[in-house]
Amino acid sequence: MKLNKIKDILDSKGISQTWLAEYLEKSFCTVNYYARNKYQPDLETLLEISTILEVDLKDLITNENESV
């Protein structure tokens, strides 16, 4: 089940997971797990990601009515 859109937003902005990991001061593996929806970031981390990527927090979260 796809719970976040981190990978979609990274792809659309041409930003690598490695770049995001460096800005978050987290390992590449952690960010990769977030991007693949294997793990979900906590709310504080989601807020930090939305700030870094310059998107609304709600844009990082999949709407349950969307088909995935």
Side-chain angles (χ1 to χ4, degrees), residues 1-5 8 61-68:
M1 174 181 242
K2 186 175 181 179
L3 299 175
N4 74 60
K5 299 179 186 177
D8 296 339
I61 302 168
T62 301
N63 182 330
E64 63 186 41
N65 296 325
E66 290 180 36
S67 45
V68 288

Side-chain angles (χ1 to χ4, degrees), residues 1-58:
M1 174 181 242
K2 186 175 181 179
L3 299 175
N4 74 60
K5 299 179 186 177
I6 294 171
K7 181 169 179 12
D8 296 339
I9 293 171
L10 288 173
D11 290 347
S12 73
K13 290 182 170 275
I15 297 172
S16 71
Q17 292 176 29
T18 303
W19 181 89
L20 181 59
E22 289 174 10
Y23 271 80
L24 289 173
E25 298 181 351
K26 297 193 180 290
S27 72
F28 169 80
C29 289
T30 298
V31 171
N32 183 259
Y33 284 156
Y34 294 161
R36 293 185 306 144
N37 281 282
K38 185 164 179 124
Y39 298 139
Q40 295 305 313
D42 59 29
L43 187 55
E44 183 178 326
T45 303
L46 268 176
L47 183 57
E48 190 175 356
I49 292 170
S50 72
T51 300
I52 291 168
L53 298 180
E54 300 177 341
V55 296
D56 284 341
L57 180 61
K58 66 180 179 176

